Amino acid sequence: MANTISLNSIFSQFIKQLFKAALFISVLSLLIISTDVQAKIKAGVAKKDITDRSAGLVNDPLYVKALVLDNGITKMVIITLDVVAIEEIGPIKAGYLAKVRSQIQNELNIQASNILINVSHCHGIVRADTDSLTVVAVKEAFQNLVAVTIGSGTGYEDRIMENRRYLMKDGSQTDARRAYSLPPDHEIAEIGKTDPEIGILKLNKLNGETLAVLYNFAVHPIEGVPNGGNTADIIGFASKVIEDNLKGSMALFLQGCGGDINPVNYKGLDNPTDAEPLGNMLGLSVLKALQNIQTTNDSEIKVINQQIELPRANFAERIRSLEADQKRILNALTGTNMNLKTFIALTIKYTNSTEYPSFYGQRYLKDKKQNKIDMIRLDSVNRRDLENYRSNIYLMERLTRIRENLSLVKMHQLKSAGAETINVEILGLKVGNMRLVTFPGELTVQIGLNIKKNAPNKNTFVAAYTNGYIYYAPTAEQLRNTGEAQEDSDTNLAPEWQMMFERKVAEILQKL
């Protein structure tokens, strides 16, 4: 009996210990599961129509879109706007950035330094209350938070854009704007680079449906539409293609280093300007890339927000140089015996017939028999005047480019008021395995290519036009140009800025 009691006691103790172990394992499992659930990143999206419908014909709507991210430790907001810039130029007035950030921080407890606001740089016209609508979009996105999985990757698109800078045979550079006449073909040596990479962040709900697509690309969305109406341009059409094919999702565009990147055939005159086909191609390229992007439970969010003082340009010498060029070119104009009417008529004649341009060949042959040079001399005089008139046209076209850029450098020289530096905000962001750095100006494409090439991690992207606007940010080489391109004239920056910025970006990326 004693042995039986002893065995029962041992068995009872064993069961108790086993139960405790099982209970411990269960609790531990619940804690692990709970931690895993909490660790999942949450995201919410919302958008508001900000089209100014009182400004004339509307072709397609313009939006403010908001993406809120929260992993339980860090909260941040990504806001995208279909507009040309944040303050300084365009319809978004001064005070927008501070007002939006302070309201979001006060009402949602999201740090102002964790708010990224990027513009597509389309030239659409938005409502005067866009600041209020921006906050409403963010608050709705915050209310819509759901658990998501995330993944990043890249796509490719090289058909819809071209570099607008021309490298001339004389070593100078100019660019293609609708405000400029292009230089003669025979003076052009080559054109600049483009960046065909599309940077993508994909966010899926836990049921596998795509909640949001964040895509980054470098192009000036300034194509316009055939009816001339208000439009979100290339980006509006691209985002619509993505959203139409991923029902219930939202596409948010982050403008890249598009300072010197135009839509393809931007200067074409044979067809109406039409952003829709270009946007459709970009949207389809994003959709193609999304098929190869897998999402995971990676929940890391990291934000680094830093200020940097960059050297301002002093344009005093540039102004003197451009004014001297202006005077020299003006003095090079040559008087001729023709005007535009006769120039066009004679150009047609001398292009159509090089041997007997001024009359029937019979007249030339008769002169030859009579040992006369009347017609030959007439052609010689006309050809000389045609060449002089053509030269005058090229000189006048160059004068228009110089005058336009001279007005830009004078404006920036006046606005700088002798200040030697300009303060800018740089934001570094890591979401999962995607890294992003920002800049508040129109970065030219080579800077983005440099940053991505030297980045320590793949899926590193650059968003210009973010959290402010300080005009163009060209490379040091472009800034040392003679001032006949907009990028090196419509800027606040001295050449040394590029090295300082790229060094700061490298430091931030190392910390991410």
Side-chain angles (χ1 to χ4, degrees):
M1 178 69 71
N3 288 338
T4 302
I5 294 172
S6 177
L7 285 171
N8 286 340
S9 176
I10 292 170
F11 181 75
S12 177
Q13 290 297 323
F14 173 75
I15 293 298
K16 286 180 180 179
Q17 294 299 322
L18 188 63
F19 176 78
K20 287 180 180 179
L23 182 62
F24 174 77
I25 291 169
S26 298
V27 171
L28 183 62
S29 298
L30 286 171
L31 286 171
I32 291 171
I33 292 170
S34 175
T35 301
D36 183 58
V37 170
Q38 290 177 2
K40 277 186 172 61
I41 191 170
K42 292 183 178 181
V45 293
K47 68 179 180 181
K48 292 294 176 184
D49 188 328
I50 55 173
T51 317
D52 184 351
R53 299 182 183 277
S54 67
L57 179 67
V58 174
N59 185 81
D60 53 278
L62 293 84
Y63 291 103
V64 57
K65 298 180 180 181
L67 168 64
V68 176
L69 299 169
D70 182 1
N71 68 353
I73 300 171
T74 303
K75 298 176 186 175
M76 77 159 301
V77 183
I78 295 174
I79 299 166
T80 65
L81 291 158
D82 293 324
V83 72
V84 66
I86 298 171
E87 307 172 11
E88 195 62 34
I89 63 171
I92 300 290
K93 302 306 179 187
Y96 167 90
L97 187 63
K99 180 180 178 181
V100 167
R101 280 178 145 178
S102 63
Q103 279 193 244
I104 293 171
Q105 179 168 309
N106 293 337
E107 297 182 34
L108 300 178
N109 196 30
I110 299 175
Q111 294 298 312
S113 59
N114 285 12
I115 300 171
L116 184 161
I117 307 179
N118 179 274
V119 299
S120 72
H121 197 57
C122 77
H123 286 35
I125 305 171
V126 299
R127 290 170 47 162
D129 61 346
T130 295
D131 50 1
S132 300
L133 290 170
T134 301
V135 175
V136 170
V138 174
K139 291 168 74 173
E140 289 186 8
F142 188 79
Q143 293 168 357
N144 295 335
L145 285 171
V146 295
V148 294
T149 57
I150 58 176
S152 65
T154 60
Y156 188 91
E157 177 53 64
D158 66 353
R159 300 165 295 173
I160 71 168
M161 72 291 196
E162 61 190 13
N163 194 296
R164 74 187 197 184
R165 287 183 77 97
Y166 293 82
L167 284 65
M168 310 302 292
K169 291 178 180 177
D170 67 1
S172 66
Q173 298 181 23
T174 188
D175 59 358
R177 296 179 63 205
R178 292 203 171 119
Y180 296 159
S181 300
L182 286 179
D185 291 341
H186 64 268
E187 294 181 6
I188 300 171
E190 58 180 308
I191 59 173
K193 299 176 182 178
T194 61
D195 182 359
E197 184 178 70
I198 309 168
I200 301 173
L201 180 69
K202 179 181 180 182
L203 299 98
N204 280 357
K205 292 183 279 189
L206 297 188
N207 64 4
E209 294 177 355
T210 299
L211 173 72
V213 176
L214 193 70
Y215 66 110
N216 167 247
F217 188 68
V219 67
H220 250 77
I222 50 175
E223 180 71 3
V225 287
N227 63 19
N230 205 359
T231 176
D233 215 272
I234 294 171
I235 306 312
F237 295 113
S239 293
K240 186 176 187 300
V241 166
I242 297 166
E243 293 172 356
D244 285 351
N245 283 275
L246 298 174
K247 297 298 183 183
S249 70
M250 187 175 296
L252 299 94
F253 173 76
L254 291 177
Q255 180 59 264
C257 301
D260 53 356
I261 304 298
N262 271 349
V264 70
N265 300 325
Y266 179 66
K267 294 286 285 185
L269 300 173
D270 296 324
N271 293 291
T273 57
D274 194 353
E276 187 168 2
L278 305 182
N280 290 345
M281 286 190 279
L282 178 57
L284 290 171
S285 292
V286 172
L287 289 170
K288 181 179 179 181
L290 285 170
Q291 298 175 15
N292 299 317
I293 297 176
Q294 302 299 316
T295 63
T296 70
N297 287 329
D298 190 343
S299 63
E300 185 173 8
I301 301 175
K302 191 170 184 179
V303 182
I304 298 174
N305 191 311
Q306 294 190 359
Q307 305 284 323
I308 183 173
E309 292 284 335
L310 296 175
R312 274 187 180 270
N314 184 334
F315 282 126
E317 181 55 39
R318 174 72 60 84
I319 291 169
R320 285 191 290 270
S321 175
L322 287 173
E323 288 177 337
D325 281 348
Q326 198 175 43
K327 184 176 181 180
R328 177 178 55 79
I329 293 169
L330 187 62
N331 290 335
L333 292 171
T334 304
T336 71
N337 188 40
M338 59 183 63
N339 63 5
L340 180 62
K341 177 181 178 179
T342 54
F343 172 76
I344 292 172
L346 287 176
T347 296
I348 294 171
K349 287 173 63 174
Y350 280 83
T351 301
N352 182 58
S353 176
T354 57
E355 191 173 6
Y356 307 131
S358 294
F359 201 67
Y360 296 108
Q362 165 208 7
R363 176 73 179 272
Y364 287 84
L365 295 172
K366 184 178 180 182
D367 273 5
K368 186 176 181 181
K369 280 191 174 184
Q370 295 177 339
N371 294 319
K372 293 180 179 180
I373 60 168
D374 301 12
M375 297 302 290
I376 293 174
R377 181 177 179 279
L378 174 64
D379 290 341
S380 176
V381 171
N382 283 342
R383 286 192 172 100
R384 180 198 65 200
D385 283 344
L386 280 169
E387 185 55 38
N388 287 340
Y389 197 90
R390 185 178 295 108
S391 176
N392 284 349
I393 292 174
Y394 291 150
L395 290 170
M396 287 186 289
E397 288 174 351
R398 190 173 179 191
L399 277 174
T400 62
R401 295 194 294 270
I402 288 177
R403 185 183 66 177
E404 183 76 13
N405 290 327
L406 182 57
S407 68
L408 291 172
V409 294
K410 284 183 174 180
M411 176 192 74
H412 286 292
Q413 188 76 350
L414 183 64
K415 289 178 71 171
S416 69
E420 295 184 354
T421 62
I422 183 169
N423 182 267
V424 301
E425 175 185 327
I426 302 172
L427 189 146
L429 167 65
K430 181 182 180 185
V431 178
N433 67 348
M434 182 206 77
R435 292 161 178 83
L436 180 79
V437 289
T438 73
F439 188 80
E442 301 196 40
L443 291 168
T444 54
V445 72
Q446 186 61 54
I447 294 167
L449 292 171
N450 291 348
I451 290 171
K452 291 195 279 188
K453 178 182 177 181
N454 296 321
N457 302 97
K458 67 176 185 177
N459 296 336
T460 296
F461 312 122
V462 186
Y465 308 82
T466 302
N467 292 343
Y469 183 75
I470 64 162
Y471 297 88
Y472 284 89
T475 65
E477 179 185 4
Q478 289 170 334
L479 281 167
R480 294 187 182 101
N481 184 38
T482 54
E484 292 192 37
Q486 183 184 10
E487 297 82 43
D488 47 67
S489 302
D490 195 8
T491 182
N492 294 302
L493 300 169
E496 296 77 15
W497 88 272
Q498 182 189 356
M499 181 181 66
M500 296 172 63
F501 171 65
E502 291 184 9
R503 184 186 299 141
K504 174 59 70 175
V505 165
E507 292 174 5
I508 291 173
L509 290 176
Q510 285 294 338
K511 294 175 183 177
L512 291 174

